[in-house]
Amino acid sequence: MKKENIIQEKSFAFAIRIVKLYQYLCEGKREFVLSKQLLRCGTSIGANIEESIGGQSDKDFLSKISISYKEARETIYWIKLLSATEYLDDKQTKSLLTDAEELCKILGKIQLTTKSRNL
């Protein structure tokens, strides 16, 4: 039986939210530029986590986790910008930021643990 991987599951669920938000912004708000940036970084978090799981070494693992962390930080920026420009309401913004910040915290802890243990 495969062991549960919380960051893998949370990042995938977050990517689904981001894809649906992208669709909403394009179809409902006719916004294409900012939403594309959000789509790229918001889905990249999980993609880099998947790559880290298949990492060839501890340094490779840490590199991909670090990229995921940076993508999560960038996602927070785009969410805040979409909120400030009134493409997202307060409820949407708060929910998305909560999820993105949680991913950042988990990824930050993984980075610290990996650095202290292996490198």
Side-chain angles (χ1 to χ4, degrees), residues 4-14 17 45 49 68-69 72-73 75-76 79 93-111:
E4 183 177 299
N5 185 325
I6 298 297
I7 191 64
Q8 194 176 22
E9 292 173 12
K10 286 184 179 288
S11 63
F12 186 77
F14 186 72
R17 287 190 74 192
I45 300 165
I49 288 168
S68 290
Y69 177 81
R73 296 291 324 154
T75 301
I76 289 170
I79 292 167
T93 301
K94 184 177 181 190
S95 177
L96 288 161
L97 286 177
T98 297
D99 285 356
E101 288 165 356
E102 181 182 21
L103 288 170
C104 280
K105 287 177 186 175
I106 296 169
L107 289 164
K109 289 283 188 187
I110 292 170
Q111 287 179 89

Side-chain angles (χ1 to χ4, degrees), residues 22-118:
Y22 173 75
Q23 292 169 332
Y24 163 76
L25 289 169
C26 289
E27 294 168 11
K29 298 284 190 170
R30 308 294 298 158
E31 197 301 306
F32 302 102
V33 178
L34 303 177
S35 58
K36 184 67 134 189
Q37 291 293 120
L38 177 68
L39 178 68
R40 287 181 178 153
C41 61
T43 57
S44 179
I45 300 165
N48 279 288
I49 288 168
E50 288 295 329
E51 283 192 53
S52 75
I53 292 167
Q56 297 174 336
S57 66
D58 290 340
K59 285 186 179 184
D60 189 26
F61 173 83
L62 182 60
S63 174
K64 297 298 188 231
I65 287 294
S66 297
I67 292 168
S68 290
Y69 177 81
K70 291 191 288 185
E71 295 292 341
R73 296 291 324 154
E74 182 181 346
T75 301
I76 289 170
Y77 173 82
W78 293 115
I79 292 167
K80 288 179 178 179
L81 186 58
L82 285 162
S83 177
T85 53
E86 300 178 1
Y87 283 105
L88 299 176
D89 64 33
D90 289 341
K91 184 179 177 184
Q92 291 170 311
T93 301
K94 184 177 181 190
S95 177
L96 288 161
L97 286 177
T98 297
D99 285 356
E101 288 165 356
E102 181 182 21
L103 288 170
C104 280
K105 287 177 186 175
I106 296 169
L107 289 164
K109 289 283 188 187
I110 292 170
Q111 287 179 89
L112 290 174
T113 301
T114 304
K115 286 177 185 177
S116 69
R117 207 176 28 176
N118 296 316

